Amino acid sequence: MRLQLIRNATLRLTYAGQTLLIDPSLAELHSQPALAGRSLNPTVPLPMPAQDVIQGVELVLVSHLHRDHIDLAPPQLPTSLPVVAQPHDEAALHDAGFTAVLPLHGELSWRGLHITRTAGQHGTGPVGQAMGKVCGFVLRAEGEPTVYIAGDTIWTDEVRAVIGTHHPDVIVTNSGGAQFQGTLIIMDTEQTLAVAAAAPQATVIAVHLEAYDHMTVTRDALRAAAGQAGLDGQLLVPDDGAVIDLH
């Protein structure tokens, strides 16, 4: 498999002979409002032209419909691309013009790729409720590592259960420590290290950093913490545009 971090949570994944695009937010620099009052968003540009991100993509996975995970008004992807999404997001995707939405109730198979939906918790208390339902994905295919894309979630017993049930070889965490109204809504440094400690067999790839103004964790800080914990060989923190090959 080959994983390329585009920006934030947007990933290009070559897996089982297919090219997948995950949580594709292709918005231009500073084209969205601030979330924490510090900067317009996204705070950094795409590392390559949007057409290069889309080139050759055969399947799209969308964990939820927040604007830092997919562009809907207007869509930036060809709307004929098949899109795997939560069932309750299907209507909004159709309304945005997507014509091949595949609702992921639990599991589905597509061209030799098996996809399992996983639960997430996008914060706690009233903020977590306001963030709405989110999901992650476990990917399996013959001859490929098992990949767990956790999505926008904090560290919970549900995430721990996914690790214990599926024994992923690769875990992608959204680790920027984003906060909304003072509430943590995705993993921070401590929680990302907890994932790595709970899955010593897995390579953990931390993304969703340094692209929106409500992030509180930097790449340098996370890398330093991983080194101090003796996890720097297990926990990877790629820059935008970086490619990781795993077997």
Side-chain angles (χ1 to χ4, degrees):
M1 62 165 277
R2 168 171 287 188
L3 181 71
Q4 183 177 27
L5 170 61
I6 304 303
R7 181 187 62 189
N8 203 48
T10 303
L11 310 168
R12 265 182 72 102
L13 177 63
T14 303
Y15 191 83
Q18 316 294 335
T19 300
L20 284 62
L21 192 58
I22 299 156
D23 282 347
S25 174
L26 305 178
E28 293 184 1
L29 175 71
H30 294 163
S31 63
Q32 298 174 356
L35 293 169
R38 291 194 288 266
S39 172
L40 295 175
N41 289 303
T43 59
V44 295
L46 289 170
M48 64 193 71
Q51 59 264 32
D52 292 350
V53 177
I54 299 167
Q55 182 67 36
V57 168
E58 297 160 278
L59 182 70
V60 179
L61 306 183
V62 178
S63 64
H64 63 302
L65 302 186
H66 288 171
R67 66 174 63 190
D68 60 331
H69 291 258
I70 187 170
D71 313 286
L72 294 181
Q76 299 297 310
L77 302 176
T79 53
S80 59
L81 278 173
V83 178
V84 176
Q86 300 181 98
H88 71 273
D89 290 335
E90 182 178 8
L93 288 164
H94 279 304
D95 289 346
F98 290 95
T99 59
V101 182
L102 305 174
L104 181 58
H105 294 275
E107 301 182 2
L108 67 80
S109 294
W110 187 86
R111 298 186 185 177
L113 169 63
H114 188 78
I115 307 171
T116 301
R117 178 183 172 187
T118 64
Q121 185 178 329
H122 201 357
T124 55
V127 169
Q129 293 178 353
M131 291 294 105
K133 291 183 179 180
V134 297
C135 76
F137 309 98
V138 172
L139 309 180
R140 294 183 185 273
E142 185 175 355
E144 294 280 14
T146 298
V147 181
Y148 172 30
I149 300 168
D152 268 10
T153 184
I154 56 175
W155 173 236
T156 66
D157 287 341
E158 291 174 316
V159 175
R160 187 188 298 273
V162 172
I163 293 170
T165 299
H166 294 276
H167 307 288
D169 303 296
V170 179
I171 303 173
V172 180
T173 58
N174 291 354
S175 298
Q179 293 189 9
F180 188 73
Q181 296 180 357
T183 297
L184 186 69
I185 57 174
I186 61 174
M187 294 183 197
D188 58 10
T189 297
E190 180 181 358
Q191 294 189 358
T192 303
L193 297 180
V195 171
Q201 81 289 348
T203 298
V204 178
I205 303 172
V207 301
H208 207 315
L209 295 126
E210 299 182 344
Y212 278 75
D213 75 326
H214 61 330
M215 302 297 160
T216 63
V217 176
T218 66
R219 288 185 171 98
D220 285 347
L222 183 53
R223 289 167 180 152
Q228 291 170 1
L231 298 171
D232 47 332
Q234 178 193 7
L235 175 57
L236 308 181
V237 188
D239 293 324
D240 291 348
V243 175
I244 299 171
D245 288 306
L246 294 166
H247 304 284

